[in-house]
Amino acid sequence: MQFEGSHILSVNQLDLDSINTIFNIANKMTPYALREKRTKVLEGAILGNLFFEPSTRTRVSFGCAFNLLGGHVRETTGMASSSLSKGESLYDTARVLSTYSDVIAMRHPDAYSVKEFAEGSRVPVINGGDGPNEHPTQALLDLFTIKKELSHSGMGIDGMHIAMVGDLKYGRTVHSLSRLLCMHKDIQFTLISPSELAMPDYVIADIENAGHKITITEQLEGNLHQADILYLTRIQEERFPSQEEANKYRGKFRLNHNIYTQHCKSNTVIMHPLPRDSRAQANELDNDLNSHPSLAIFRQADNGLLIRMALFALTLGVENQLEKYECPVNWYSRKADR
Amino acid sequence: MQFEGSHILSVNQLDLDSINTIFNIANKMTPYALREKRTKVLEGAILGNLFFEPSTRTRVSFGCAFNLLGGHVRETTGMASSSLSKGESLYDTARVLSTYSDVIAMRHPDAYSVKEFAEGSRVPVINGGDGPNEHPTQALLDLFTIKKELSHSGMGIDGMHIAMVGDLKYGRTVHSLSRLLCMHKDIQFTLISPSELAMPDYVIADIENAGHKITITEQLEGNLHQADILYLTRIQEERFPSQEEANKYRGKFRLNHNIYTQHCKSNTVIMHPLPRDSRAQANELDNDLNSHPSLAIFRQADNGLLIRMALFALTLGVENQLEKYECPVNWYSRKADR
Amino acid sequence: MQFEGSHILSVNQLDLDSINTIFNIANKMTPYALREKRTKVLEGAILGNLFFEPSTRTRVSFGCAFNLLGGHVRETTGMASSSLSKGESLYDTARVLSTYSDVIAMRHPDAYSVKEFAEGSRVPVINGGDGPNEHPTQALLDLFTIKKELSHSGMGIDGMHIAMVGDLKYGRTVHSLSRLLCMHKDIQFTLISPSELAMPDYVIADIENAGHKITITEQLEGNLHQADILYLTRIQEERFPSQEEANKYRGKFRLNHNIYTQHCKSNTVIMHPLPRDSRAQANELDNDLNSHPSLAIFRQADNGLLIRMALFALTLGVENQLEKYECPVNWYSRKADR
């Protein structure tokens, strides 16, 4: 696809070539994110960071990505403080707010709202999550993480084995990731969830039509030992009709150091879209894996920054000017731990 | 008036000369707002953008205007997160917060609060709306828009015909705009509203004392055919004692493509302070005029940016240094549609 | 202490040498804060300004301090908009958010939460107040103010007399300030409060162990005439079991022009951590002292900016590069009134 001046609304816009372009630019962003040097390529540009639904991590990641390229960020958070609550159409909001920036990142609780907004916008709009529909930068950072993590063991995405665990019905991230994986070859999917929260049929059909293999099960134990990637998502107990129903699954889709050691290969990569619930009563991913080298959950967040930097550079057409505007970093910077 | 170091609190401070100065600088801002080039004239300066009452559009417009001149923006939104709710005086708030910036834009729900704040401030304060009292940058952008729009047909403000429609009693924008129009000559005002929401007597007296002509009516049809400018404002149904009373006026002060074609000249400029209610049950300005070339409502928002940039440049005394700090824009930018 | 790359969590980390280092750098910041010139030493750096508890003044002060050094600020306010409300641990929040900035300033309602966060952070964290525990930048700006104010009369901190008035039990600022004063010599403390709100025993023990003299009283009148510094804090009426109990103390710990003139030396410095309640029914520090030259409360806020600039420069290791990145200020700037 042609990135310059385009909206990024859905993973469906992307083919393998576009994805590789994004990943190549994301890799080029690494030294800037690690503060080995910096670039002022977007100095003077303005990001409109419109978060009509709260999301600290995604909002700050977009804003920081833009600052890392040298630009300004103007932010709007919440519906209450917005004219949308007075009956203003997304078209009007877009016509007005898009005058105030060079590119927009937007999150909104309603499906397809970002697309509707984009139709009124005079500048490129990047979807930061439109309710139950899509969160394309999350899908891209997940795929990018898989690619990077597997490359350490000399593997690629083609031919890999991924286990997806937890809420596969409402988990937007596993749907979008599956769609991106369908563009690749010979993947083995193991889908592990309570039957009430099983992967939707249309996603399964897509996977099968793409020629991949699927195993569907409610059982974590015994189904992880061949997985190269283990992608966990949270089971929200309020999805069940009663607490009793929810209790049936307590602890059955959780991962901790013991379960990992017993049931996984020694280098199975652990992923999770975050946030995870770390309270004692939670049942997803225990803190006792925090220092395990295969825990990639924080590297996912790091990669999200690179992906968002790449998308800003591409939609604003500056991806080949990064080096021209480089400067040294003259302050203390953390050492890389990736 | 002397702009450098001054507060901008009310349209009453301004004479025709001052207004022309603002408009001249606003015109100079156009190429920066359109991203044909940029200026770093306020690089390193800090705007304190204090919105004690929510207003997405005005807040972002002020912030973006400052970023477009190269400056930083520090923002505060809402009362809850403010010491004002603990009984702090506006004087104290101003003394402290004005240490933290070079200029302040402020909105507050209480009349004259911005003036009170300005008395404690050590830096220039620009009124971004003080409740029922004033919103001077809106009045200036409205007048600036009228001037620009009429110039396309070779007209000026002197001698024009403006129809103001809707809630003329509580509509702060029409009061301030009227005051600015009173400085001009031979204007024909047609004031169209329910009698409960008629223009206040003191505004009418001002208009008459300035030698302008006024027609007052409750009837939209038949009273628009000579208007050069049609300024619509929303009728808030909660202003009426009962829903029954409100219903009497449903649809009587609304504009759509059909009404426009039937009752207006072919080039009557349509203005509205926004936001407008675009829901089906709303009764102000229909979406079917969205692509009409005479619909100036989004150009008003664009002009707001220019006016605010001009006021920052003037109060900080950099209006003659814009070109000295110019740089090229090296990223993708939207094409102008004004 | 070694500042570069370190967290600033508590006044207990600091010895007299470290404090002098901070104060020396704070003094160097004065011309930048007064806009006599500016520095771009942190151009391109990003502050994560995380205010999980609202505090307009402290938040804006940190943000502005960073802008004054040339850096970008990404801000998060409130708990609701944060993943913390979904059960995310401070460790996870820190691991992720610290990827997005070069240094973090953080306020949080829970004691020791900032320390817990710092353990997961990859970048230096500065405590902006962790509930009832500490607010080290406030303690530092208070001590810095005392030093500067006394120097005008040729005095130093050693040998001075300070009266602390009001709520000495819950007032976090007087506890931290006392700790810093304990590092100095021969100080006379006069502690004036209702007995229900008396200074905690462990603070009194620290003061006595440091060899200072203490007078404890419930009586303002007659106990102020030797004080060089008068440090007022607000008595929150909700601390008392009933309104009747609270009423017993109404007006007994208040300062106004009359009381000051009658009971204090002519140059006793008046301090208050702000905000103060300026409503008619309030009982702390009257507005009739607003123009008194000994009222240092707004200079405290000004000094807070210098202290925070110094801490950013020190933790990021740029304190010796300020001049290298200097530029002139080309816009209107207020005249100094300190």
Side-chain angles (χ1 to χ4, degrees):
Chain A
M1 67 173 282
Q2 157 72 21
F3 284 101
E4 187 173 328
S6 298
H7 305 304
I8 307 287
L9 301 175
S10 162
V11 295
N12 294 326
Q13 292 173 261
L14 304 170
D15 56 18
L16 265 191
D17 266 2
S18 315
I19 292 171
N20 281 331
T21 301
I22 297 169
F23 289 1
N24 286 340
I25 305 300
N27 279 323
K28 277 197 186 178
M29 296 301 179
T30 308
Y32 309 121
L34 290 179
R35 296 313 208 171
E36 289 162 11
K37 52 187 180 179
R38 63 191 183 94
T39 179
K40 300 169 35 159
V41 69
L42 288 181
E43 187 192 64
I46 301 173
L47 165 66
N49 210 20
L50 305 181
F51 274 65
F52 297 117
E53 178 183 65
S55 172
T56 302
R57 139 189 355 262
T58 308
R59 177 179 54 79
V60 179
S61 177
F62 272 113
C64 173
F66 207 73
N67 280 165
L68 283 172
L69 296 171
H72 299 288
V73 180
R74 304 268 34 88
E75 219 154 56
T76 293
T77 54
M79 293 290 261
S81 72
S82 153
S83 299
L84 296 172
S85 58
K86 298 178 199 159
E88 183 172 61
S89 69
L90 281 167
Y91 176 85
D92 277 17
T93 308
R95 287 289 292 174
V96 173
L97 290 185
S98 63
T99 301
Y100 302 153
S101 50
D102 295 284
V103 59
I104 284 171
M106 174 171 166
R107 171 172 286 219
H108 192 285
D110 298 340
Y112 304 106
S113 53
V114 180
K115 182 167 176 292
E116 195 183 331
F117 181 97
E119 282 158 14
S121 173
R122 312 182 208 180
V123 302
V125 175
I126 299 178
N127 186 354
D130 57 337
N133 182 38
E134 280 217 43
H135 187 5
T137 59
Q138 177 74 42
L140 285 167
L141 77 86
D142 283 340
L143 188 69
F144 184 63
T145 302
I146 292 172
K147 192 172 178 181
K148 271 172 85 170
E149 296 287 327
L150 293 182
S151 75
H152 299 323
S153 12
M155 289 183 61
I157 298 176
D158 291 347
M160 72 148 179
H161 185 144
I162 184 169
M164 293 174 167
V165 178
D167 176 358
L168 306 185
K169 183 172 180 188
Y170 299 103
R172 173 175 68 176
T173 55
V174 288
H175 304 168
S176 295
L177 178 57
S178 296
R179 204 162 303 171
L180 291 179
L181 290 174
C182 282
M183 300 177 193
H184 294 79
K185 292 180 193 152
D186 297 323
I187 298 179
Q188 169 73 44
F189 285 78
T190 299
L191 306 179
I192 308 172
S193 73
S195 59
E196 289 90 335
L197 298 177
M199 186 71 93
D201 288 343
Y202 75 90
V203 180
I204 291 178
D206 283 352
I207 295 173
E208 288 176 337
N209 290 338
H212 302 310
K213 295 197 201 85
I214 306 193
T215 306
I216 296 175
T217 170
E218 299 196 32
Q219 189 73 32
L220 196 87
E221 284 83 6
N223 285 303
L224 298 180
H225 55 281
Q226 292 187 314
D228 302 302
I229 301 289
L230 182 49
Y231 195 104
L232 300 162
T233 62
R234 179 195 309 194
I235 293 182
Q236 296 184 288
E237 302 210 326
E238 56 271 34
R239 297 295 190 187
F240 293 91
S242 69
Q243 185 62 40
E244 264 182 5
E245 287 292 310
N247 287 345
K248 288 201 308 188
Y249 297 107
R250 281 222 148 247
K252 297 211 168 164
F253 302 93
R254 114 193 259 184
L255 191 73
N256 58 28
H257 198 279
N258 198 32
I259 296 169
Y260 182 85
T261 313
Q262 224 178 315
H263 295 285
C264 295
K265 292 194 296 184
S266 67
N267 63 348
T268 300
V269 177
I270 306 164
M271 295 175 66
H272 187 294
L274 296 182
R276 61 174 163 169
D277 189 339
S278 286
R279 289 173 291 195
Q281 74 274 25
N283 270 295
E284 41 191 317
L285 174 57
D286 277 26
N287 284 324
D288 65 2
L289 284 161
N290 277 359
S291 55
H292 197 289
S294 293
L295 188 82
I297 61 175
F298 302 117
R299 292 192 290 271
Q300 282 174 273
D302 297 346
N303 289 332
L305 202 58
L306 304 177
I307 291 291
R308 290 172 183 125
M309 290 173 80
L311 291 176
F312 286 134
L314 285 161
T315 52
L316 292 174
V318 297
E319 74 276 17
N320 295 320
Q321 299 180 66
L322 301 169
E323 284 157 35
K324 187 174 158 194
Y325 293 92
E326 276 182 5
C327 325
V329 164
N330 55 291
W331 61 85
Y332 165 85
S333 62
R334 63 183 185 275
K335 295 299 162 283
D337 54 358
R338 312 165 214 200
Chain B
M1 68 173 284
Q2 157 71 22
F3 284 102
E4 187 173 328
S6 298
H7 305 306
I8 307 287
L9 301 174
S10 163
V11 295
N12 295 326
Q13 292 173 262
L14 304 171
D15 55 20
L16 266 190
D17 266 2
S18 315
I19 292 172
N20 282 330
T21 301
I22 296 170
F23 288 2
N24 286 338
I25 304 300
N27 279 322
K28 278 197 185 178
M29 296 301 180
T30 309
Y32 309 121
L34 290 179
R35 296 314 209 171
E36 290 161 10
K37 53 188 181 178
R38 63 191 184 94
T39 179
K40 301 170 33 160
V41 69
L42 289 181
E43 188 190 63
I46 300 173
L47 165 66
N49 209 21
L50 306 180
F51 274 65
F52 297 117
E53 178 183 63
S55 172
T56 302
R57 140 190 353 264
T58 308
R59 176 180 55 78
V60 179
S61 177
F62 272 112
C64 173
F66 207 74
N67 280 166
L68 283 172
L69 296 171
H72 298 288
V73 180
R74 304 269 33 88
E75 220 154 56
T76 292
T77 54
M79 293 290 262
S81 70
S82 152
S83 299
L84 296 172
S85 58
K86 297 178 199 160
E88 183 172 62
S89 68
L90 282 166
Y91 176 86
D92 277 18
T93 308
R95 288 289 293 176
V96 173
L97 291 185
S98 63
T99 301
Y100 302 154
S101 49
D102 295 285
V103 59
I104 284 171
M106 173 171 167
R107 172 172 285 220
H108 192 285
D110 298 339
Y112 304 105
S113 53
V114 179
K115 183 168 175 289
E116 194 182 332
F117 182 96
E119 282 158 13
S121 173
R122 312 182 209 182
V123 302
V125 175
I126 300 178
N127 186 353
D130 57 336
N133 183 37
E134 281 216 42
H135 188 3
T137 59
Q138 177 74 41
L140 285 166
L141 76 87
D142 284 339
L143 188 69
F144 184 62
T145 301
I146 292 172
K147 192 172 179 180
K148 271 172 85 169
E149 296 288 326
L150 293 182
S151 73
H152 299 323
S153 13
M155 290 182 60
I157 298 176
D158 291 347
M160 73 148 179
H161 185 144
I162 185 168
M164 293 175 166
V165 178
D167 177 358
L168 306 183
K169 183 171 180 187
Y170 299 104
R172 172 175 69 177
T173 54
V174 289
H175 305 169
S176 294
L177 177 57
S178 297
R179 206 162 302 172
L180 291 179
L181 291 175
C182 283
M183 300 179 195
H184 295 79
K185 292 180 192 152
D186 298 323
I187 298 179
Q188 169 74 44
F189 286 79
T190 299
L191 306 180
I192 308 173
S193 73
S195 59
E196 289 90 337
L197 298 178
M199 187 71 93
D201 288 342
Y202 75 91
V203 180
I204 291 178
D206 282 352
I207 295 173
E208 288 176 338
N209 291 337
H212 302 310
K213 295 197 201 87
I214 306 194
T215 305
I216 297 176
T217 171
E218 297 196 33
Q219 190 73 31
L220 196 85
E221 285 84 6
N223 285 304
L224 297 180
H225 54 281
Q226 292 187 314
D228 302 302
I229 300 288
L230 182 49
Y231 195 105
L232 300 161
T233 62
R234 179 193 311 194
I235 293 183
Q236 296 184 290
E237 302 210 327
E238 56 272 32
R239 297 296 191 186
F240 293 91
S242 71
Q243 186 62 39
E244 263 181 6
E245 287 293 311
N247 287 346
K248 288 200 309 187
Y249 297 105
R250 279 221 151 248
K252 298 211 170 164
F253 303 92
R254 115 195 259 183
L255 192 72
N256 59 27
H257 198 279
N258 198 31
I259 296 169
Y260 181 84
T261 312
Q262 224 178 316
H263 296 286
C264 295
K265 292 194 295 183
S266 66
N267 63 348
T268 300
V269 177
I270 306 165
M271 295 177 65
H272 187 295
L274 297 181
R276 61 174 164 170
D277 189 339
S278 286
R279 289 172 292 194
Q281 73 275 24
N283 271 296
E284 40 191 320
L285 174 57
D286 277 26
N287 283 324
D288 64 3
L289 283 162
N290 277 359
S291 55
H292 197 289
S294 293
L295 188 83
I297 61 176
F298 301 117
R299 292 192 291 271
Q300 281 174 274
D302 297 346
N303 289 332
L305 202 58
L306 304 178
I307 291 291
R308 290 173 184 123
M309 290 173 80
L311 291 177
F312 287 134
L314 284 162
T315 52
L316 291 174
V318 296
E319 73 276 15
N320 295 319
Q321 299 180 66
L322 301 170
E323 284 156 34
K324 187 174 157 194
Y325 293 92
E326 275 181 5
C327 324
V329 164
N330 56 290
W331 61 85
Y332 165 84
S333 62
R334 64 182 184 275
K335 295 301 161 282
D337 55 358
R338 311 166 214 198
Chain C
M1 67 173 284
Q2 158 71 24
F3 284 101
E4 186 172 328
S6 297
H7 305 305
I8 306 289
L9 302 173
S10 162
V11 296
N12 294 326
Q13 292 173 261
L14 305 170
D15 56 20
L16 264 191
D17 266 2
S18 316
I19 292 171
N20 282 330
T21 301
I22 297 169
F23 288 1
N24 286 338
I25 305 300
N27 279 323
K28 278 197 185 178
M29 296 302 179
T30 308
Y32 309 121
L34 290 178
R35 296 315 208 170
E36 289 162 11
K37 52 187 181 179
R38 62 192 185 94
T39 179
K40 300 169 34 160
V41 69
L42 289 181
E43 189 191 64
I46 300 174
L47 165 66
N49 210 20
L50 307 180
F51 274 65
F52 298 117
E53 178 184 64
S55 172
T56 302
R57 139 190 354 264
T58 308
R59 177 178 54 78
V60 178
S61 178
F62 272 112
C64 173
F66 208 73
N67 280 166
L68 283 172
L69 296 171
H72 298 288
V73 179
R74 304 268 34 88
E75 220 154 54
T76 292
T77 53
M79 293 290 261
S81 70
S82 153
S83 299
L84 295 172
S85 57
K86 299 178 198 160
E88 183 173 61
S89 68
L90 282 167
Y91 176 86
D92 277 18
T93 308
R95 288 289 291 175
V96 174
L97 290 185
S98 63
T99 300
Y100 302 153
S101 50
D102 295 284
V103 59
I104 284 171
M106 173 171 167
R107 172 172 285 220
H108 192 286
D110 297 340
Y112 304 105
S113 52
V114 179
K115 183 169 176 288
E116 195 182 331
F117 181 97
E119 282 157 14
S121 172
R122 312 182 208 181
V123 302
V125 175
I126 300 177
N127 186 354
D130 57 336
N133 183 37
E134 279 216 43
H135 187 5
T137 59
Q138 177 74 43
L140 285 166
L141 77 86
D142 284 339
L143 188 68
F144 185 62
T145 301
I146 291 172
K147 192 171 178 179
K148 272 172 85 168
E149 297 287 327
L150 293 182
S151 74
H152 300 323
S153 15
M155 290 182 59
I157 298 176
D158 290 347
M160 72 148 179
H161 184 143
I162 184 169
M164 294 174 166
V165 178
D167 176 358
L168 306 184
K169 183 170 179 187
Y170 299 104
R172 171 175 70 176
T173 54
V174 288
H175 304 169
S176 295
L177 177 58
S178 296
R179 206 164 301 173
L180 291 180
L181 291 174
C182 283
M183 299 179 194
H184 294 79
K185 291 180 192 152
D186 297 323
I187 297 179
Q188 169 75 43
F189 286 77
T190 299
L191 306 179
I192 307 173
S193 73
S195 59
E196 289 90 336
L197 298 177
M199 186 70 93
D201 288 344
Y202 76 90
V203 180
I204 291 178
D206 282 352
I207 295 173
E208 287 176 338
N209 291 338
H212 302 310
K213 294 197 201 85
I214 306 193
T215 305
I216 297 175
T217 170
E218 299 195 34
Q219 190 73 31
L220 196 86
E221 284 84 5
N223 285 304
L224 298 180
H225 55 282
Q226 293 186 314
D228 302 302
I229 300 288
L230 182 48
Y231 195 104
L232 299 162
T233 62
R234 179 195 311 194
I235 293 183
Q236 296 184 289
E237 301 210 328
E238 57 271 33
R239 298 295 191 187
F240 293 92
S242 70
Q243 186 62 39
E244 264 182 5
E245 287 293 311
N247 287 346
K248 289 199 309 188
Y249 297 107
R250 280 221 150 249
K252 298 211 169 163
F253 302 93
R254 112 193 262 185
L255 192 73
N256 59 27
H257 198 280
N258 197 32
I259 296 170
Y260 182 83
T261 313
Q262 222 178 318
H263 296 286
C264 295
K265 292 193 296 182
S266 67
N267 62 348
T268 300
V269 177
I270 306 164
M271 295 177 64
H272 187 295
L274 296 182
R276 62 173 162 168
D277 190 340
S278 286
R279 288 173 293 195
Q281 74 274 26
N283 271 295
E284 39 192 319
L285 175 56
D286 277 26
N287 284 324
D288 65 2
L289 283 161
N290 277 359
S291 55
H292 198 289
S294 294
L295 188 82
I297 61 176
F298 301 118
R299 293 193 290 271
Q300 281 174 275
D302 298 345
N303 289 332
L305 201 58
L306 304 178
I307 291 292
R308 290 172 184 125
M309 290 173 80
L311 291 176
F312 286 134
L314 284 162
T315 53
L316 292 174
V318 297
E319 73 276 15
N320 296 319
Q321 300 179 66
L322 301 170
E323 284 157 34
K324 187 175 158 193
Y325 293 92
E326 276 182 4
C327 325
V329 164
N330 55 290
W331 61 85
Y332 166 85
S333 63
R334 63 182 183 276
K335 296 302 161 282
D337 54 359
R338 313 165 215 201

